[in-house]
Amino acid sequence: MIKLLLLGINAPLLIFILIMTTRIPISHNMNKNTSLQKSILTAFIFVIFLWLIKAYETYFFVELYQLGVKPLNTSGLIGIITGPLIHGSWQHVIGNSLPLILLGGFLLYGYPNSRWWAIGIIWLVSGFGVWLFARDSFHFGASGLTHGLFFYLFIAGIIRRDKRSSVLLMIAFYMYGSMIMTILPTEQGISYEYHLFGALAGIISAILFRKWDPKLKEKSYSWESPDDEDLIGDEWQNQDNKHD
C-alpha cells in the first residue's frame, strides 16, 4: 500500500498542493461561493467515497465487479450508474484518484452553469456506450469519467478561447494530455471503450454547453482607452497656426 501511495507523488500532485495552498482570485462574474479550492475539495470528497467502497470490498472480502457494465445484458444496465464507483484493485482506484480531483475540480470551478449537466452526461453516455458496443466483459472504474472531464476541458478551451478556459485547457493538457492516446486499445485488461465513450461524451458536452458559462471580464487599463481629446495633435496644430 505504501509503495502505491508513493507512486502517486508526481508532478500533478505537486500542482495540486500548490493550488490548495494558494489563494485564487474569483471573478465577480461568477458565483462568489465558487472557488478553486472548494471545487477541488468537492472532487476530493467524491474520491474519498470511492476509497471507502474499495475499503469495504477489502475488509469484508467481497467483490463488486458485477456492478460494472455488462454489454447487451439487461442485468448489466445497472453498471451505467454504478460502474464508475467500482475498481478492480487499490492500484486502479489510486490511479484514478488524482485525475478525478484535479480535472473534476477544474471543471467544477471553471464552468459553474454547465458542470453538473456535463458530469451527468459523461457518466451516463460513457456507460451506455460501453453497454452497447464494448467487449463482452464487466467494465468498471472511473477512467471513463476522467477522460470525459479531460476532453470537456480540452474542447471547451478551444471553442470558448477565453482566458479561464484557455488556462484550464493548458494545465489539463500538460498533466493528462496522454489521455488522447488511451482512447485506443492498449492493454487487454483495460477498458479502452470506457475511455473512448467518456471522451466522446466530454466532447459532446463541451459543444452543447459552450455558451452556458460566463467568461472572465477582460481587465482594461487606462492607457488602453483612447482620450476624448487629441491633445498632442491639437497642440501641434495650434503651434503651427501661431507661427503662421
Side-chain angles (χ1 to χ4, degrees), residues 7-19:
L7 288 174
I9 301 177
N10 48 25
L13 181 55
L14 295 178
I15 294 175
F16 166 65
I17 295 172
L18 178 63
I19 290 171

Side-chain angles (χ1 to χ4, degrees), residues 64-115:
L64 300 178
Y65 70 90
Q66 292 182 346
L67 294 178
V69 180
K70 180 71 169 175
L72 300 179
N73 190 309
T74 54
S75 63
L77 283 171
I78 187 64
I80 295 175
I81 304 298
T82 58
L85 305 176
I86 309 304
H87 292 81
S89 65
W90 278 106
Q91 186 175 4
H92 191 194
V93 69
I94 289 172
N96 282 328
S97 294
L98 197 57
L100 282 173
I101 293 171
L102 291 175
L103 296 176
F106 292 158
L107 190 148
L108 292 174
Y109 170 67
Y111 301 94
N113 293 341
S114 63
R115 53 191 175 186

Side-chain angles (χ1 to χ4, degrees), residues 2-52:
I2 295 177
K3 290 182 179 180
L4 291 176
L5 291 175
L6 290 176
L7 288 174
I9 301 177
N10 48 25
L13 181 55
L14 295 178
I15 294 175
F16 166 65
I17 295 172
L18 178 63
I19 290 171
M20 293 301 292
T21 55
T22 304
R23 184 171 180 81
I24 307 296
I26 306 171
S27 170
H28 68 276
N29 288 332
M30 301 186 70
N31 187 338
K32 292 184 179 180
N33 293 323
T34 301
S35 68
L36 183 55
Q37 289 91 339
K38 289 181 179 180
S39 299
I40 289 180
L41 179 60
T42 301
F44 181 69
I45 292 172
F46 174 70
V47 168
I48 290 177
F49 180 61
L50 299 184
W51 280 58
L52 290 175

Side-chain angles (χ1 to χ4, degrees), residues 133-147:
F133 301 108
R135 291 164 291 175
D136 185 19
S137 179
F138 284 100
H139 298 255
F140 46 81
S143 55
L145 285 180
T146 61
H147 282 69

